Amino acid sequence: MFVAGGAVSGALGVHRMAGHSRWANIKHKKAKSDAKRGKLWSKAARAIMAAARNGVPDPAANLTLRYAIEEAKAVNMPRDTIERAIKKGSGEIGGDNWENVRYEGYGPGGVAIIIDALTNNRTRTAGDVRLVFTKFGGNLGAAGAVAYMFEPRGRFVIDEQVIGEEKLMELALEAGADDVSTAEGYHTVLSKPADFIAVKDALDGAKVACESAELTMIPTMTTEVTGDNVTKVVRMIDAFEDLDDVQKVYSNLDASDEALSAAME
């Protein structure tokens, strides 16, 4: 199994190389027990403000803003809060100037880590990220150090009781998805990032409820880790996600179900 933390939800994701569905189970359970709604909304609002500032404040004409709004909805952010974040980003009302920054490095056992952040103070954020790497025995690398081991994808996870695999495949592939798989009670739909909105609109139009719908980074190369290093990597990812400036964290950790379950307790 490999682990990819991520999503504005801040939940730790786990998914099989083939079906990518175990991820949904653990992410869902962790998200439900996570009492950090205020922090999740804050991170979602930052993403909206940054997208609105760097483009037009209309999600129909600004795909980055549309992505940010979809992720805000996924953490149940109220409509008025979303609209206020758009106004702040566009300068209609006062707001900070947030910018995107990515950090890359290695965790315990040589696991590749990518951290996407939104910051109004690069010095502060870089220091916080470096501190977490150091605390858990990892190393902050240069830009591009591990990104080649991942590919950007749109990913949708759907309970198999919501829709049959054959019907979902027909719907998703027609909308531009690349792959549909089913395992352990969940369907997983993968798409290119550029096709994410088209697939999301098709699923919404067919009233297919998603457990998760996100833009993510999926490892193309994984690093197998055993023993205490599994717990160290999981705790490192949690520590990164607890940082206010961090939006998403991805890793290529490959570990057994037993080791991952123990690490998440």
Side-chain angles (χ1 to χ4, degrees):
M1 291 205 142
F2 66 83
V3 172
V8 73
S9 64
L12 184 69
V14 180
H15 38 124
R16 290 193 184 281
M17 291 289 288
H20 307 290
S21 60
R22 170 88 174 162
W23 168 87
N25 249 337
I26 295 179
K27 176 174 179 179
H28 184 64
K29 290 176 182 176
K30 189 174 188 297
K32 288 190 70 174
S33 64
D34 193 347
K36 300 178 181 178
R37 176 165 296 184
K39 179 169 283 189
L40 302 186
W41 285 4
S42 175
K43 293 186 177 190
R46 287 187 186 186
I48 291 171
M49 286 188 284
R53 182 176 295 275
N54 295 323
V56 296
D58 179 6
N62 182 342
L63 279 181
T64 303
L65 179 57
R66 174 75 187 275
Y67 296 146
I69 291 172
E70 290 294 340
E71 293 200 336
K73 290 178 179 177
V75 295
N76 300 313
M77 179 180 279
R79 182 184 296 274
D80 61 342
T81 306
I82 291 173
E83 291 175 351
R84 186 163 58 251
I86 294 173
K87 289 178 179 179
K88 284 185 177 181
S90 65
E92 187 174 336
I93 57 178
D96 291 323
N97 185 17
W98 300 100
E99 60 177 320
N100 293 285
V101 60
R102 169 169 286 182
Y103 301 95
E104 302 178 38
Y106 292 92
V111 169
I113 306 283
I114 293 178
I115 302 106
D116 283 340
L118 274 171
T119 182
N120 60 357
N121 185 326
R122 281 177 173 258
T123 301
R124 177 195 66 227
T125 307
D128 289 345
V129 168
R130 185 177 290 106
L131 185 62
V132 173
F133 271 116
T134 300
K135 179 179 179 180
F136 291 93
N139 295 286
L140 178 63
V146 304
Y148 69 93
M149 301 183 204
F150 297 78
E151 64 176 355
R153 305 284 277 175
R155 180 173 56 197
F156 306 83
V157 179
I158 302 157
D159 191 309
E160 67 175 1
Q161 295 183 17
V162 172
I163 186 174
E165 183 176 23
E166 186 174 335
K167 186 174 180 180
L168 175 62
M169 188 172 296
E170 180 181 352
L171 175 68
L173 296 181
E174 185 176 337
D178 295 327
D179 181 67
V180 178
S181 60
T182 301
E184 299 183 20
Y186 290 90
H187 304 302
T188 300
V189 178
L190 297 178
S191 74
K192 297 180 180 63
D195 295 322
F196 175 83
I197 292 299
V199 176
K200 180 70 165 58
D201 286 345
L203 294 173
D204 288 346
K207 300 190 183 305
V208 175
C210 296
E211 292 287 322
S212 176
E214 63 179 342
L215 289 171
T216 187
M217 297 285 285
I218 293 181
T220 56
M221 303 167 58
T222 59
T223 300
E224 185 174 1
V225 176
T226 59
D228 291 342
N229 277 340
V230 179
T231 299
K232 289 178 182 178
V233 174
V234 169
R235 289 180 178 174
M236 172 184 269
I237 291 172
D238 280 340
F240 280 130
E241 290 177 337
D242 280 340
L243 296 177
D244 289 340
D245 294 340
V246 170
Q247 295 291 107
K248 297 186 179 184
V249 183
Y250 311 102
S251 88
N252 72 341
L253 169 65
D254 186 347
S256 69
D257 287 351
E258 293 76 14
L260 286 168
S261 294
M264 291 179 189
E265 289 180 354

